[in-house]
Amino acid sequence: MIFSGKVISLEAIGRAHLLKPRSRNPGMALLTRARRLLVRAGGALYARLARPTPEERRHQAAVHRRWEAAYRATPASLLPWEREGPEPELVRVVRARRLPRGSAVLDVACGQGRDAVWLASQGYRATGLDISETALARARERARAAGVRARFVRGNAWRLYFRPGSFSLVNDRGGFHHIPEDHRREYVEGLARVLRPRGLLLVQAFSARNPWRGNTFTRAELVGHFAPRFEALEGREVLHREAVTREPVYLWSVLFRRRG
Ligand SMILES: C[S@@+](CC[C@H](N)C(=O)[O-])C[C@H]1O[C@@H](n2cnc3c(N)ncnc32)[C@H](O)[C@@H]1O
């Protein structure tokens, strides 16, 4: 990956920052502050270095147009991936792993915010990121209606600009399988960078059991895409029924932990 050297060194700065305990000693406090500034500068530097080329910008714009058109054309409850209530796999993982309240969590490709709003309602500091502003407007409305605070930001999932080590958990339901093939590696690197060391990542992506091809995976293929930066802790195939048509769609649900 073009930026891998830079990303790794920024990540190392972030890790040093996260692992150091706070100190009352003024000298140490100064050092901690300097380290924190370095992390911030690191985030800004990454954002500058990772600025997209004109060709990439055109590509991102095309992806944005496609999703924005889909959201604008379809009422919230009729989108095929919508469902009542939070994603059961996410609920199961959060409960089983006893993720501490107050942890920062990211719902990447959050769509209309169903899972981010649920995470916020459970006491987590939830951020949802999506490329479509219409989806995000609906997500913000959902948070307001539920009376919870969640942050929703527009961005490109394969170009994450959060500071290194920002999150304890990332939820990706239906994001990865829409990332263009030539950006998958960048996507995985980005998630590893914004997760803290040994942070959790729940991915749900189209299974090869579905009848179409192109963005479906066997379990081994899916795990293989994430393997350079993540170890798989558990995985199972889950069934989703599309809103309206009730057509079955199979997804691999794999829980990963960031290596090191
Ligand atoms: C199948 S929907 C899933 C939405 C949500 N996770 C859910 O389960 O309801 C896929 C989402 O990915 C978003 N998306 C697609 N490509 C993206 C990208 N490059 N960056 C950010 N979001 C993206 C779309 O706007 C859409 O909201």
Side-chain angles (χ1 to χ4, degrees), residues 39-115:
V39 172
R40 262 185 219 143
L45 186 66
Y46 174 78
R48 287 225 353 230
L49 292 171
R51 207 170 269 172
T53 61
E55 191 193 334
E56 274 180 287
R57 225 173 288 138
R58 274 195 295 279
H59 190 183
Q60 286 183 32
V63 171
H64 167 248
R65 267 197 306 278
R66 198 168 62 238
W67 285 100
E68 190 50 27
Y71 278 107
R72 285 189 188 188
T74 322
S77 60
L78 303 186
L79 286 158
W81 52 87
E82 264 302 323
R83 64 179 308 146
E84 281 287 315
E87 172 54 40
E89 280 294 283
L90 175 65
V91 176
R92 184 181 66 73
V93 162
V94 165
R95 298 218 163 117
R97 300 275 159 180
R98 296 167 191 242
L99 191 68
R101 295 275 154 93
S103 301
V105 296
L106 172 67
D107 190 11
V108 68
C110 66
Q112 304 178 122
R114 184 195 55 247
D115 291 342

Side-chain angles (χ1 to χ4, degrees), residues 108 157 170-173 175-179 183-192 195 200-205 217-233 252 254-259:
V108 68
V170 174
N171 177 50
D172 166 355
R173 178 182 181 263
F176 178 68
H177 54 219
H178 291 301
I179 299 298
H183 289 294
R184 284 179 184 162
R185 180 124 182 247
E186 209 172 350
Y187 179 76
V188 171
E189 289 292 332
L191 292 184
L195 262 175
L200 296 174
L201 165 67
L202 177 65
V203 177
Q204 291 186 66
F217 308 91
T218 63
R219 177 182 163 152
E221 285 165 350
L222 186 62
V223 169
H225 281 293
F226 288 85
R229 303 305 307 271
F230 294 92
E231 60 173 314
L233 301 178
W252 278 111
V254 179
L255 180 65
F256 294 97
R257 182 161 55 202
R258 203 195 102 162
R259 295 183 195 278

Side-chain angles (χ1 to χ4, degrees), residues 102-105 113 115-128 139-152:
S103 301
V105 296
D115 291 342
V117 167
W118 178 78
L119 286 163
S121 77
Q122 300 302 297
Y124 298 107
R125 288 183 290 128
T127 299
R140 290 190 190 103
E141 183 47 45
R142 202 171 213 160
R144 254 193 306 276
V148 300
R149 284 167 67 110
R151 175 169 70 139
F152 290 101

